[in-house]
Amino acid sequence: MSFLSFFKDYKKFGIFFSVLCVIIVLIIYNILNVKKPLPIYQPAMVSEELVDSTLQHKSKYHKIADFSLINQNGEIVTQDTYKDKIYVADFFFTTCQTICPIMTDHMYQIQREIINDDDIMLLSHSVTPQIDTVEQLKKYAKKKGVIDRKWNLVTGDKKQIYDLARKSYLAVKTDGNGDEYDMIHTENFMLIDKKRQIRGFYDGTNPEDINKLLEDIKTLKDES
């Protein structure tokens, strides 16, 4: 009898211990899989070649500056157009034959993924605004499948665009001198939150980075 009693007690203990182990494993799994908040990028965190010299040591409170540009429909686009929106920004030009077509195709892919999400938009700045007129942007937009309510292609004052690139989005190489082609844009896509803060940089030519960007958009939506 004592042997049977011991066996029954051991069996109960074994079941209890097994259940406890499963619970502990599930708790650890959930803790490890909690999404970490995305970083808030400051100029001091970014390569100096992409940041205006006046901001290279700034380590907090960085936000995208106010702007006023013109889109593919001749409409004025400002920071208020993107108020309370998460958006993806980049810099391009319509006559680029190297990385821009790949970047634009990937922007189109993002547009397709966020088409029914009113919280997400896209913004592409021309680095050759003297060439990329409203008419040129409209032609390009039609060719690339741009949906106006989701994606603005913008042109305007070159100095303003350059300042945005260097001082806000931290996305363009070299210090320009006002010449026609003084802005050397990168393949970077920038993820901007509803507070106009940079939350991520991605290689706009890399499909894996685009997948990461889409995942980070979900994380950012959960945060806001």
Side-chain angles (χ1 to χ4, degrees):
M1 293 293 294
S2 60
F3 176 78
L4 291 175
S5 176
F6 172 79
F7 179 76
K8 288 179 180 179
D9 291 341
Y10 180 79
K11 184 179 179 181
K12 292 178 181 178
F13 174 78
I15 292 171
F16 170 77
F17 185 75
S18 297
V19 171
L20 182 62
C21 286
V22 170
I23 293 172
I24 292 172
V25 168
L26 288 173
I27 291 173
I28 293 173
Y29 178 82
N30 287 328
I31 291 173
L32 292 177
N33 280 273
V34 170
K35 288 185 177 179
K36 295 180 180 179
L38 300 178
I40 300 174
Y41 283 91
Q42 307 296 331
M45 300 165 64
V46 179
S47 171
E48 289 188 358
E49 67 177 351
L50 299 174
V51 183
D52 188 85
S53 59
T54 60
L55 298 174
Q56 287 174 354
H57 301 294
K58 185 176 180 180
S59 59
K60 55 184 178 180
Y61 306 131
H62 183 72
K63 292 186 177 183
I64 306 303
D66 291 353
F67 58 89
S68 181
L69 298 164
I70 303 171
N71 74 1
Q72 66 268 24
N73 296 310
E75 300 165 341
I76 294 176
V77 173
T78 72
Q79 67 281 352
D80 289 334
T81 308
Y82 290 83
K83 185 177 181 181
D84 296 325
K85 302 290 184 183
I86 294 168
Y87 69 97
V88 181
D90 75 336
F91 290 80
F92 81 114
F93 58 104
T94 61
T95 56
C96 167
Q97 299 299 317
T98 54
I99 62 174
C100 294
I102 302 171
M103 293 169 64
T104 303
D105 287 347
H106 282 152
M107 273 290 199
Y108 176 80
Q109 177 187 337
I110 297 169
Q111 177 186 248
R112 189 174 58 207
E113 293 292 329
I114 59 140
I115 193 65
N116 296 317
D117 192 330
D118 293 337
D119 282 341
I120 318 295
M121 292 180 68
L122 308 175
L123 178 59
S124 294
H125 309 74
S126 170
V127 298
T128 59
Q130 69 284 359
I131 294 174
D132 290 333
T133 61
V134 170
E135 293 75 19
Q136 176 74 359
L137 290 180
K138 188 62 177 180
K139 180 181 177 182
Y140 190 81
K142 288 181 177 179
K143 179 181 178 182
K144 296 298 184 179
V146 171
I147 296 175
D148 294 339
R149 65 183 174 85
K150 299 300 292 183
W151 186 0
N152 288 295
L153 313 180
V154 292
T155 187
D157 176 69
K158 182 163 185 168
K159 184 179 185 305
Q160 181 184 180
I161 294 172
Y162 181 82
D163 283 345
L164 282 169
R166 293 282 293 176
K167 296 180 180 181
S168 283
Y169 293 102
L170 319 178
V172 167
K173 294 180 181 180
T174 197
D175 292 321
N177 57 14
D179 292 341
E180 189 174 6
Y181 297 105
D182 60 350
M183 284 190 278
I184 304 176
H185 77 300
T186 67
E187 66 278 3
N188 282 343
F189 285 2
M190 286 69 63
L191 178 60
I192 312 302
D193 68 15
K194 293 181 179 181
K195 296 179 181 179
R196 295 159 65 180
Q197 301 172 126
I198 301 173
R199 304 304 296 273
F201 290 93
Y202 312 85
D203 182 342
T205 67
N206 186 334
E208 291 183 3
D209 268 30
I210 302 306
N211 290 334
K212 176 68 163 57
L213 170 54
L214 290 169
E215 285 298 316
D216 285 352
I217 287 175
K218 294 178 183 177
T219 300
L220 199 53
K221 279 181 65 68
D222 290 341
E223 175 186 311
S224 57

